[in-house]
Amino acid sequence: MISEKEYASRRKRVAKELKNNSIAVIFAADNKVRSNDTNYPYRQNSNFYYLSGFREDSSALVIVKGKKSFESFLFVHKKDPKEELWNGKRLGVKEAKKRFQVDDVFEYDTLNAKLKELMQNKKALYYDFSLEYSKVKVLKRYTKSFVAIYNLSHIVQKMRLIKSPAEIALIKHAMTITKEAHHQAMQKASSLNYEYELQAEIEYVFKKNGAYSDAYTSIVACGDNANTLHYINNDAKLQKKQLILIDAGCEYQYYASDITRTIPSDGSFTQPQKELYNGVLSVQKQIIQMIRPGVLRSQLQKKSQELLCQVLKKLGIIQAGKKKCMKKELFKKYYPHGIGHWMGLDVHDEAPYKDEKNKEIPLQEGMVLTIEPALYIAHDDTNVAKKYRGIGIRIEDDILITATGYENLSCDIVKEIDEIEALASSH
Ligand code: GLY
Ligand code: MN
Ligand code: MN
């Protein structure tokens, strides 16, 4: 649980960053049409949620900065029995005033009129530049006095980079659910026939444990399907003697988990699969061990490439030594993506990797970074020995940077070959 006090202190920190005599407007997410008259499940805008903790659509937060002081106002959908009959209860202005530590709460219907009033004589406007054009247009209707317009999300993103203890607790809870889901997948895989059945087992565990959603669409990719990085069809038959790459993580109370495990389809790894798997695993462990405050993500990236070059050479997949492999980027064909990314309210957290001077931001206590080295060997890559073709392996953990090093938040999700095989045979 994030307390109302914490949300209030986040708004205060944002206000501190705003120029004097300015106004910041941040909108809730809109509902998105799935087809005709049905919507996708609603998901609140992460920045709006970060600053308000409010989950309803048709809402907005306005922060007005004077000389030094600031005021914050929340706009919420009014109580409306007819609308509530179809779409569920609204909190309404009266209850919102009790719950939120803002200066005032108004009906969302009054937003435009109120903005016109609040924007009088303001010199700067802040909003999230990813805002859809129709809303930007409304904001700009009152811009006569503005001399500058800034992207509010630059301020919020920087704050989101460092997680509070309450945020870390939610991520840890997401991890316990995701752990159960991956372990269930390891136990069930050999008894199932299709990728989507395995996906269903995983997502059942998410929902059963109060994580209503996945943090991203699960990837359940058997054999060569794992070599499509964003494979989400999950509709192929589970073939024997293949590896299944499972990249799945639940979202719990808006916080993500992002875990990949690669497991055998029928309980045990073949010898070539073991060789590739242990190569990736040893790289992953070595990179995680490098993590501590001050280290750069680009150092982890480079080291993972160097180590994978060595693995590829050892397995005879490339002939070149480390130096040539790095210089010619020979690893890229087999490891084309990054070592990891920030994670939090979003699976790929919208937080910066570089500062205002375009300098890379070093790791600091409270950040959460995924570590996900991989090797992908296409089924038709005739440069590689046949035994390794059609195998894609990624191993991904979520790492919290601590004062002195790191905490692997997903260390309880098994990844050693004997542990995975033991779980598979315990079904
Ligand atoms: N699941 C998306 C990623 O690993 O980045
Ligand atoms: Mn990831
Ligand atoms: Mn992932």
Side-chain angles (χ1 to χ4, degrees):
M1 263 282 283
I2 312 277
S3 67
E4 291 308 325
K5 208 170 135 210
E6 183 164 337
Y7 288 115
S9 84
R10 291 175 188 170
R11 291 190 290 271
K12 192 171 168 185
R13 284 176 57 206
V14 166
K16 240 187 178 162
E17 299 281 324
L18 301 179
K19 306 257 182 229
N20 287 348
N21 210 14
S22 69
I23 184 163
V25 186
I26 177 154
F27 287 92
D30 285 328
N31 267 300
K32 292 192 175 57
V33 174
R34 179 175 176 273
S35 184
N36 189 21
D37 59 352
T38 54
N39 287 340
Y40 286 107
Y42 183 71
R43 169 56 158 79
Q44 188 54 280
N45 172 280
S46 293
N47 284 342
F48 177 83
Y49 189 74
Y50 184 77
L51 295 176
S52 70
F54 194 40
R55 299 184 180 188
E56 289 185 20
D57 67 308
S58 303
S59 339
L61 176 70
V62 176
I63 300 177
V64 180
K65 173 90 176 272
K67 268 225 169 93
K68 271 205 177 111
S69 60
F70 77 97
E71 284 182 296
S72 58
F73 305 113
L74 193 63
F75 291 78
V76 305
H77 197 288
K78 62 174 180 278
K79 294 291 290 174
D80 178 347
K82 257 199 214 143
E83 203 251 7
E84 291 180 32
L85 170 67
W86 293 95
N87 299 321
K89 291 278 177 233
R90 293 284 186 173
L91 187 64
V93 171
K94 202 169 130 207
E95 290 303 313
K97 276 188 189 183
K98 286 189 206 157
R99 177 175 144 190
F100 297 103
Q101 297 178 9
V102 290
D103 293 284
D104 214 341
V105 180
F106 303 105
E107 282 185 6
Y108 187 70
D109 288 347
T110 69
L111 178 67
N112 287 358
K114 203 81 193 150
L115 278 179
K116 196 171 172 188
E117 186 188 306
L118 294 170
M119 284 180 172
Q120 290 302 315
N121 302 319
K122 293 291 176 295
K123 293 290 176 236
L125 168 67
Y126 292 78
Y127 65 90
D128 189 333
F129 280 9
S130 62
L131 191 63
E132 58 167 281
Y133 188 61
S134 61
K135 291 206 176 89
V136 174
K137 237 168 58 185
V138 172
L139 291 181
K140 290 198 171 167
R141 218 186 275 163
Y142 313 112
T143 56
K144 300 274 182 295
S145 66
F146 292 136
V147 291
I149 294 178
Y150 298 101
N151 193 350
L152 181 72
S153 64
H154 285 166
I155 297 172
V156 183
Q157 284 168 19
K158 255 193 283 171
M159 292 168 57
R160 282 174 55 184
L161 200 45
I162 309 292
K163 273 73 184 173
S164 71
E167 290 182 288
I168 292 164
L170 291 176
I171 295 172
K172 283 185 174 176
H173 193 87
M175 222 58 74
T176 63
I177 298 171
T178 293
K179 174 184 110 178
E180 192 183 321
H182 275 275
H183 285 177
Q184 177 84 335
M186 289 171 193
Q187 286 179 311
K188 286 271 175 89
S190 62
S191 66
L192 302 176
N193 290 316
Y194 284 89
E195 292 166 342
Y196 53 73
E197 290 181 60
L198 206 42
Q199 179 181 8
E201 293 289 346
I202 290 165
E203 291 172 9
Y204 171 72
V205 175
F206 291 172
K207 282 210 160 64
K208 182 177 65 126
N209 288 290
Y212 309 121
S213 175
D214 40 42
Y216 51 93
T217 303
S218 308
I219 296 170
V220 180
C222 184
D224 192 56
N225 292 338
N227 295 320
T228 301
L229 298 183
H230 286 166
Y231 178 82
I232 51 170
N233 286 355
N234 303 342
D235 60 355
K237 212 166 170 15
L238 297 173
Q239 307 289 346
K240 295 279 168 235
K241 293 204 180 316
Q242 301 291 316
L243 290 185
I244 311 169
L245 184 154
I246 301 175
D247 186 348
C250 75
E251 178 179 287
Y252 181 74
Q253 298 292 329
Y254 277 78
Y255 282 84
S257 52
D258 182 9
I259 300 298
T260 308
R261 291 292 183 263
T262 306
I263 66 173
S265 60
D266 46 12
S268 51
F269 287 77
T270 65
Q271 188 54 32
Q273 288 167 353
K274 275 186 185 171
E275 289 162 13
L276 275 171
Y277 186 91
N278 280 331
V280 177
L281 183 60
S282 86
V283 172
Q284 203 234 15
K285 287 184 194 164
Q286 289 176 76
I287 298 300
I288 291 173
Q289 276 170 10
M290 287 172 68
I291 293 180
R292 63 189 141 71
V295 168
L296 299 175
R297 180 167 151 273
S298 60
Q299 290 173 323
L300 304 177
Q301 180 72 41
K302 184 161 175 251
K303 187 72 182 176
S304 70
Q305 291 165 346
E306 286 173 357
L307 290 170
L308 284 167
C309 281
Q310 287 169 340
V311 170
L312 288 166
K313 180 161 166 67
K314 193 172 150 217
L315 297 177
I317 293 173
I318 60 169
Q319 269 64 53
K322 189 172 91 183
K323 218 167 148 194
K324 188 169 171 199
C325 178
M326 288 300 284
K327 193 153 176 255
K328 300 208 151 179
E329 298 195 317
L330 300 177
F331 58 82
K332 248 209 161 128
K333 187 168 150 201
Y334 309 107
Y335 172 48
H337 57 67
I339 185 64
H341 50 83
W342 308 133
M343 191 194 78
L345 280 173
D346 285 291
V347 60
H348 297 162
D349 224 15
E350 222 194 330
Y353 291 94
K354 291 182 173 170
D355 65 16
E356 291 82 359
K357 292 180 190 135
N358 213 25
K359 240 183 100 195
E360 195 177 350
I361 299 172
L363 299 184
Q364 286 168 48
E365 183 181 1
M367 292 174 171
V368 176
L369 181 72
T370 68
I371 294 295
E372 47 185 304
L375 282 178
Y376 308 98
I377 316 288
H379 74 101
D380 55 357
D381 188 343
T382 47
N383 293 320
V384 179
K386 210 162 176 202
K387 59 182 178 177
Y388 294 135
R389 290 184 214 159
I391 297 177
I393 294 165
R394 179 163 69 252
I395 307 171
E396 176 176 28
D397 282 313
D398 302 337
I399 312 294
L400 170 70
I401 288 82
T402 63
T404 52
Y406 70 89
E407 180 182 348
N408 184 346
L409 301 175
S410 42
C411 64
D412 290 340
I413 308 177
V414 302
K415 59 184 176 185
E416 297 293 335
I417 283 179
D418 57 352
E419 292 172 327
I420 295 172
E421 289 184 342
L423 263 184
S425 67
S426 71
H427 179 52

